[in-house]
Amino acid sequence: MRDEEYMREALNEARASARRGEVPVGAVLVNSAGEIIGRAGNAPIGIDDPTAHAEILTIRDGAYRLGNYRLTGTTLYVTLEPCTMCAGAISNARIARVVYGASDIKGGAVDNGVRFFEQDTCHHRPEVTGGVLAEEASMLLKEFFKARRK
């Protein structure tokens, strides 16, 4: 699969989150063989957990499946630029690559905000590719919030 195909899987997770009333962010974790080993959408409201971002839940899913908290050689696909909390988890898990869709000027911490992976104190810096299916990911978020304001 190519980046766009995995991002479509993450977008499916985001849509499922929106149907549950959660902010539509989704993620999938892919191993070096190209298999999806983790997937989730945002769930902080549904499980009463402020850390239940799509990235965190996906990382947990992959770690459980692998039986290892180190996720070396994996790629995380996420529909929205990760926040500081998620960037920290990505670094701690030693994820090799992060691919995200829409940029997050207010809450993002990769190419916006604190630029977590560029800090001297960051122990592991994944390769980052932003903007994959960004328009589709952005529209999903815009439509969700537009409907909530009505």
Side-chain angles (χ1 to χ4, degrees), residues 44-94:
I45 297 166
I47 64 173
D48 297 319
D49 181 352
T51 70
H53 289 196
E55 299 96 311
I56 300 293
L57 297 175
T58 300
I59 289 168
R60 287 177 185 162
D61 190 22
Y64 293 148
R65 288 186 193 195
L66 291 180
N68 193 338
Y69 73 102
R70 293 287 169 98
L71 300 171
T72 56
T74 62
T75 300
L76 180 70
Y77 292 85
V78 60
T79 60
L80 183 65
E81 179 182 353
C83 70
T84 305
M85 174 183 68
C86 293
I90 290 163
S91 180
N92 284 327
R94 306 299 194 260

Side-chain angles (χ1 to χ4, degrees), residues 13-25 41-47 144-145 147-148:
E13 294 297 325
R15 287 184 194 95
S17 290
R19 288 191 296 274
R20 294 189 306 269
E22 303 279 359
V23 174
V25 178
N42 267 359
I45 297 166
I47 64 173
F144 176 82
F145 286 114
R148 300 264 309 213

Side-chain angles (χ1 to χ4, degrees), residues 4 38 117:
E4 292 83 9
F117 301 129

Side-chain angles (χ1 to χ4, degrees), residues 5 35 39 44 49 52-53 59-60 65-67 87 90 93-95 100 107 119 124 127-128 136 138 146-147:
E5 294 173 78
E35 302 164 321
R39 63 173 60 235
D49 181 352
H53 289 196
I59 289 168
R60 287 177 185 162
R65 288 186 193 195
L66 291 180
I90 290 163
R94 306 299 194 260
I95 290 171
Y100 72 85
Q119 302 305 310
H124 171 77
E127 176 188 332
V128 176
E136 191 171 342
S138 180
K146 184 179 178 181

Side-chain angles (χ1 to χ4, degrees), residues 101-118:
S103 292
D104 186 352
I105 294 169
K106 288 184 180 179
V110 176
D111 289 322
N112 290 289
V114 300
R115 298 179 183 243
F116 186 89
F117 301 129
E118 294 177 18

